[in-house]
Amino acid sequence: MTTSAMKEFTLEEIAQHNTEGDVWIIIDAKVYDVSKFANLHPGSANVFYADGVAGKDATQVFFGLHRHEVLLRPQYKRLQIGTVAGQQEQIKPPTPGELSRVPYAEPTWLCKGYYSPYYSDNHRQFQTAVREFFTTVVQPESLKCEENGKRISQEVVDKMSETNIIAMRLGPGKHLQGRTLMGGIVKPEEFDYFHEAIIHAELARVSSRAVVDGLLAGLVIGLPPVLNYGSPELYAKVVPETLAGKKYVALAISEAFAGSDVSGLQTTAVRDGDYWIVTGTKKWITNGTFADYFTTGCKTETGFTVMLIERGPGVSTKPIKTAYSSVAGTAFVSFDKVRVPVGNTLGKIGNGMQVILSNFNHERWMVTATSISAQRFIVEECLKWSTQRVVFGKPLTSLAVIRAKLASMISRVEACQNWFESTTYQMNNMNYSQQADKLAGPIGLLKQFVSRSGRETAEDATQVFGGRALTVTGMGKFIENYHRTSGFDAILAGAEDVLGDLGVRQALKKMPRDARL
């Protein structure tokens, strides 16, 4: 029965149903018969007999305890028996693809009445389509896999491949040629880094930190060396099947012996005719549990070399339990005398450092894109909660200390957004080698700033939500998850202190010799 076809009740009629075994309540102009459900309520039936609940309008009480999504679940939706005469529903379920009207919940370029020099109407059209896709296709899967820890289903991966989202997450380039991007909204030759940034932002908006990685982050960081340094034969074999979502890639650089210190890696590759014999281990490898290919850093006789290793004899993986969900597929990878064709070498032998360092720029930029989006979502959550939560008879926003925390959170995310967009504009106007030369330092500093901002926002959000921020489910579930996992951005793709130092060292190299006070 639709809401419009339901019976209408007066407030007087509803008020008569306020005793044990006969309880009606009003939530946002809708009437619910919770008589049978009362004893099944997780908080016991007593919650319905508190002041302002049984037989009354319990809208404010409900939204002080539950998220709106609860009302949309079938088992609770069927409890509705009618509507209140003369009243209209005020809190509508979100429409897939729509923008939030909460201040600062969206970047400025998406807000009505504001302007940006970076985004065109095509970017806006693209963003609408991407958000609708992630909301309808990815979000349900994200919530499920975050909880059960299983990898993202092949069905969702196939849908991402059909729209070429997998390919677009690698940025502009020849790999997009001949592809129909997001139903033809943007042409391959017009696709830029702002289009790509939109994809990362929308993914993070509907996904936990673990799901962001689980949705083929390994490919995003592991396939570019193949695109940029692989032989034509290797490209032809690997790129089509991975962008089609049929095979998976992981970047295997970090080891228990060395993380940010890439030059200290211990995995070795010894030449044996037309093959490399690879022996060693890798740790904390994203998507490693289900990857088919590993873009791997090895020590060779002439220096550090990168090669693509296909899963096969001698390659084994086992999951690593971390602070976030195992949906990310974090793995310990072992190579036991693995025979790798020399043709799988990426770049020149002994020149692997250049391959990896140039690849780091895009990876770190991608991490900042998802991190900023996640921060903005947390700001939105805090603004919603602090206006609907009533304490001492007033909303939380009546407290100056809460407003101060909100001000800090908003300032941080806006600073992050503007620095990120400025950097993205530079990427749009530089080729790959120019980016490697000029942006390694700035992107390192950007990532450090964004990850630190994220953890500060996580702390502030926890104080805004109080005890609810400590529970995995309920009102503060997104705050709890963000507080627990925001630190991943400070470590993955390079520890923030190391990146800060990198940024300064890069700047010092460019200091003019005649600079004096």
Side-chain angles (χ1 to χ4, degrees), residues 287-291 294 311 315-319 331-335:
N287 298 173
T289 59
F290 54 82
F294 300 87
R311 186 186 287 269
V315 179
S316 61
T317 59
K318 60 181 179 180
F332 183 85
V333 183
S334 296
F335 300 112

Side-chain angles (χ1 to χ4, degrees), residues 151-402:
R151 58 181 279 192
I152 301 299
S153 70
Q154 188 62 44
E155 179 184 2
V156 168
V157 172
D158 288 343
K159 290 180 179 178
M160 291 176 65
S161 174
E162 289 169 10
T163 56
N164 279 303
I165 284 178
I166 296 176
M168 289 187 285
R169 290 185 70 196
L170 298 173
K174 63 181 182 180
H175 62 284
L176 297 181
Q177 292 175 5
R179 295 180 181 272
T180 301
L181 309 183
M182 216 62 207
I185 290 177
V186 58
K187 298 177 181 178
E189 62 271 20
E190 296 174 351
F191 184 87
D192 63 16
Y193 286 107
F194 284 108
H195 287 103
E196 183 194 350
I198 288 169
I199 293 174
H200 296 314
E202 294 302 328
L203 167 61
R205 193 175 181 276
V206 300
S207 305
S208 67
R209 184 63 182 81
V211 173
V212 166
D213 281 352
L215 267 168
L216 310 190
L219 179 146
V220 177
I221 62 180
L223 192 59
V226 179
L227 295 177
N228 296 303
Y229 296 98
S231 67
E233 294 77 17
L234 191 64
Y235 185 106
K237 174 188 176 184
V238 175
V239 174
E241 62 184 3
T242 52
L243 295 187
K246 304 306 179 185
K247 292 290 183 72
Y248 303 107
V249 185
L251 180 65
I253 303 297
S254 297
E255 300 178 0
F257 303 100
S260 298
D261 177 19
V262 175
S263 61
L265 301 178
Q266 298 298 307
T267 296
T268 60
V270 178
R271 187 73 176 262
D272 180 20
D274 292 334
Y275 289 87
W276 294 107
I277 308 301
V278 179
T279 301
T281 59
K282 299 293 180 178
K283 195 172 185 181
W284 306 292
I285 305 306
T286 301
N287 298 173
T289 59
F290 54 82
D292 300 288
Y293 295 103
F294 300 87
T295 301
T296 309
C298 306
K299 288 176 64 175
T300 57
E301 186 177 0
T302 56
F304 182 61
T305 303
V306 179
M307 58 194 68
L308 188 72
I309 301 177
E310 188 170 4
R311 186 186 287 269
V315 179
S316 61
T317 59
K318 60 181 179 180
I320 296 176
K321 188 173 180 59
T322 68
Y324 70 5
S325 171
S326 57
V327 63
T330 309
F332 183 85
V333 183
S334 296
F335 300 112
D336 184 13
K337 299 182 178 63
V338 181
R339 295 180 65 81
V340 181
V342 171
N344 283 23
T345 305
L346 302 175
K348 296 179 180 179
I349 296 173
N351 200 34
M353 195 63 70
Q354 178 185 346
V355 176
I356 292 304
L357 292 181
S358 62
N359 188 57
F360 274 149
N361 282 344
H362 183 267
E363 177 183 0
R364 291 163 180 166
W365 173 84
M366 180 266 291
V367 170
T368 64
T370 56
S371 180
I372 293 168
S373 179
Q375 284 183 53
R376 194 174 290 283
F377 177 71
I378 297 302
V379 170
E380 179 181 13
E381 289 282 294
C382 288
L383 283 166
K384 287 179 177 178
W385 174 245
S386 59
T387 54
Q388 73 188 60
R389 171 63 168 163
V390 176
V391 291
F392 308 113
K394 297 180 180 179
L396 268 180
T397 49
S398 67
L399 302 175
V401 67
I402 297 298

